[in-house]
Amino acid sequence: MAIPTEIKLDSPKISDASISNALEHPLDPLSAAELEQAVNILAQEKHVGDSIRIASINLIEPAKSLIENHARGVPFQRKALAVLMDRGKRVSYEAVVDLVNQSVTSVTQLPSGVQPSIMLDEFSECEQTVRRSPLFQAALKKRGVTDADLVMVEPWSAGQYGNESPDDKGLRRMRALCFVRSEPRDNGYARPIDSMVIVVDLYKMEVLRIEEYPMAPLPPEPGNWAREYIPNMRKDLKPVDIVQPEGPSFTVEGNQVEWQKWKFRVGFTSREGLVLHTISYNDDGVERPILYRASICEMVVPYGDPGEQYYRKNAFDIGEYGLGMLANSLSLGCDCLGIIYYFDFPLVDSHGKVTPLKNAVCLHEEDFGILWKHTDWRTGQSEVRRSRRLSVSFIATVGNYEYGFYWYFYQDGSIQCEIKLTGIMNTTALSPGEKSQHGVEVAPQLNAPFHQHIFAARLVPSVDGPNNSVVEVNSLGLPTSESNPHGNAIVAQETLLTTEQEAQRRVNSASARFWRVVNPSKKNRLGRSVGYRLVPGENCPVFAQPEAPIMRRAGFTANHVWVTPYTPQERYAAGEYPNQHPTGDGLPNWTKANRKVDDTEISLWYVFGHNHVPRPEDWPVMPVAMLGFQFRPDGFFERSPAMDVPPPPPKSTCCH
Ligand SMILES: [Cu+2]
């Protein structure tokens, strides 16, 4: 097994104050010291206490104009947004903490019914509460389960479906699903006890009730994946080592990365995890901006089983849980290969304890096959270039599932976002001989329901400047006519999307649809507006019906492309607080205003989904499925920007 090499480059996070000041930047995520300071200020001003919990504390990013004019070493403001929940009073607040002036500058109560995201501590507290409950122990007994310690209690966000019992009104709820292990390291997902759902009030941390459903026996087979359970591993694999004898080609200064003409900043929030800022490309000495900010800002995993105990399974893993909070420390296991630079980011728990997440984000280079090649068959002249890409990534574990988020930078000016889905599928039990209409039997009597993983990327383009427009391009074949007598004519029709409602679009493989983000005031030498192309990858429509209650909160999934005027407060596709939101918020709500979106500062939202029809081969741990999109130059450069990539060294082992 190849072990990733960790190196520390000459630069960041060193204690010399003068150097670290110069490396600090207004977009840097809050440091551990700043998080601790924020917690202390909140405590001094009595905004945290026994009954008040901290859902999150994140940097309030300064205005774009301040970032554009920021000069190194010049002092800047640092403000934090804390989301607080008073369990006793059953209200939540947003508090703005000024870290420079050391004060809380505003406290705003959240509207009633709106819940902050679920805190990590609530998961374990919820599990312990359920285990201790006599109701739960009685329900287990009824099912022949004798050891409550072997039961995995998986708290799921309860959502809001409009049919909640009046007793539940105003409560902060979770619905826990149960699985049972045969021993402590056994894969519990092989044995779902899906004949009961435990409803928990997180304010009082008590079991409200246990919903009972028809009982299915536990599936008979284990589904173990840990190495001690795999007796016959293949033995014919020879080592592959990634060798970079002169080190990597990137440099890191603070949170700024430079590589192969690219420059960008690495950020991290408790909600989105990895965030990229101020992405630019050095084009012959001119630093040309491309994206001001890029992140995966929301996702939802709607499950397609209409059963009473299942229809509320619709996890908004970013807005309801927070992927940054669930990020892996990448030193565990072998996630990356080669010479790796790791970024550490601190996290704060609901009690205000700050802990560093070591190796949260991985930065490394990869060989990526051929960049370009041509052989002149007449002269025998042949040129080939290897493609090198820079990968920036993090991985989050959300209960049973893993999501890897990768951003790649290429030498031809392209950026790619790729999401890797792996981990263990959520399962339900079948009676012998039973088949589900809404899932696939992946092991005897073990059903994996149909579901979708739908992601929303929020891109703030800055293609050669702040004012951009989006143009949709549809290609089509023209009917045979006098001007097209041979029926072979193709046209690429461009449509400028001028308003928010015009800009609600879906992918269409029949017209090979893509979108160009252009700067209308900057023309290339061929007279066209410079642009970058949003190239969709795998995608699918959401299958929930438009009137389905889940679509109130997951309304952003109704379109694949949305364009809105850039508004810093409009950050997340399903709104700021999707957890139990009664009406839903976010893109469908904001775009009702039908604001103008051409030749202005915009946010471009790309929504993309993986439709998961499970396979037996996805069990017990699903081999990675990948989906994503690309952002490729389209008339941005005068010609291929990759021509100056040198050929591999003559003695290179790759060419023979
Ligand atoms: Cu899946």
Side-chain angles (χ1 to χ4, degrees), residues 301 303 401 403 421 425 449 451-453 610-612 614 622:
V301 187
Y303 279 75
Y401 236 79
Y403 294 102
L421 286 64
M425 292 182 297
H451 60 279
Q452 302 188 282
H453 303 261
H610 175 71
N611 188 55
H612 195 170
M622 175 185 161

Side-chain angles (χ1 to χ4, degrees), residues 175-196:
R175 297 172 59 81
L177 308 177
C178 296
F179 303 83
V180 61
R181 303 177 193 262
S182 62
E183 51 162 318
R185 283 172 67 88
D186 180 47
N187 176 5
Y189 299 107
R191 296 189 177 89
I193 320 177
D194 55 344
S195 55
M196 60 182 191

Side-chain angles (χ1 to χ4, degrees), residues 34-49:
E34 286 175 316
L35 281 173
E36 277 165 5
Q37 195 190 0
V39 172
N40 289 338
I41 296 168
L42 287 164
Q44 278 158 19
E45 301 200 18
K46 311 264 184 282
H47 296 295
V48 290

Side-chain angles (χ1 to χ4, degrees), residues 198-422:
I198 298 107
V199 186
V200 181
D201 171 12
L202 297 183
Y203 281 143
K204 285 194 182 160
M205 209 38 101
E206 66 179 26
V207 172
L208 286 170
R209 62 182 172 276
I210 296 187
E211 296 176 0
E212 302 259 3
Y213 299 99
M215 275 196 231
L218 291 177
E221 271 187 14
N224 283 309
W225 49 271
R227 62 190 71 186
E228 62 266 31
Y229 292 103
I230 315 289
N232 297 313
M233 294 210 195
R234 60 185 78 180
K235 294 184 175 66
D236 54 352
L237 210 52
K238 305 279 196 293
V240 170
D241 287 324
I242 307 297
V243 180
Q244 294 182 269
E246 295 172 32
S249 311
F250 57 78
T251 57
V252 182
E253 267 197 353
N255 289 314
Q256 180 176 281
V257 177
E258 281 191 66
W259 177 81
Q260 292 286 292
K261 308 188 183 189
W262 288 103
K263 193 193 272 188
F264 58 88
R265 304 195 65 83
V266 173
F268 198 83
T269 70
S270 66
R271 183 149 169 168
E272 301 148 291
L274 176 60
V275 176
L276 299 175
H277 280 115
T278 57
I279 300 171
S280 66
Y281 192 93
N282 188 320
D283 184 12
D284 217 6
V286 180
E287 209 168 286
R288 300 177 67 185
I290 295 168
L291 286 168
Y292 175 73
R293 193 185 194 280
S295 75
I296 302 298
C297 71
E298 190 52 278
M299 59 177 288
V300 61
V301 187
Y303 279 75
D305 192 319
E308 269 299 307
Q309 69 269 55
Y310 305 128
Y311 74 89
R312 296 181 191 84
K313 282 172 69 174
N314 300 290
F316 292 69
D317 291 333
I318 297 179
E320 287 183 330
Y321 303 119
L323 287 184
M325 294 303 292
L326 300 169
N328 284 196
S329 171
L330 296 173
S331 53
L332 302 171
C334 306
D335 298 299
C336 306
L337 208 56
I339 295 184
I340 314 293
Y341 181 85
Y342 288 113
F343 291 88
D344 305 340
F345 292 105
L347 296 173
V348 58
D349 74 10
S350 78
H351 299 280
K353 186 166 175 277
V354 178
T355 36
L357 177 64
K358 249 192 107 40
N359 301 359
V361 170
C362 164
L363 176 75
H364 73 287
E365 289 177 286
E366 292 174 349
D367 178 272
F368 194 62
I370 290 177
L371 175 63
W372 60 262
K373 177 179 170 109
H374 182 62
T375 302
D376 185 325
W377 63 269
R378 290 184 178 84
T379 64
Q381 171 80 29
S382 184
E383 296 282 352
V384 63
R385 301 293 182 268
R386 300 293 301 172
S387 176
R388 186 89 62 90
R389 71 180 183 186
L390 185 69
S391 161
V392 196
S393 64
F394 85 108
I395 299 176
T397 299
V398 191
N400 51 303
Y401 236 79
E402 261 74 16
Y403 294 102
F405 296 85
Y406 295 75
W407 292 86
Y408 302 120
F409 294 83
Y410 293 88
Q411 292 158 306
D412 69 348
S414 300
I415 302 168
Q416 182 186 1
C417 170
E418 183 171 69
I419 298 180
K420 298 186 183 182
L421 286 64
T422 179

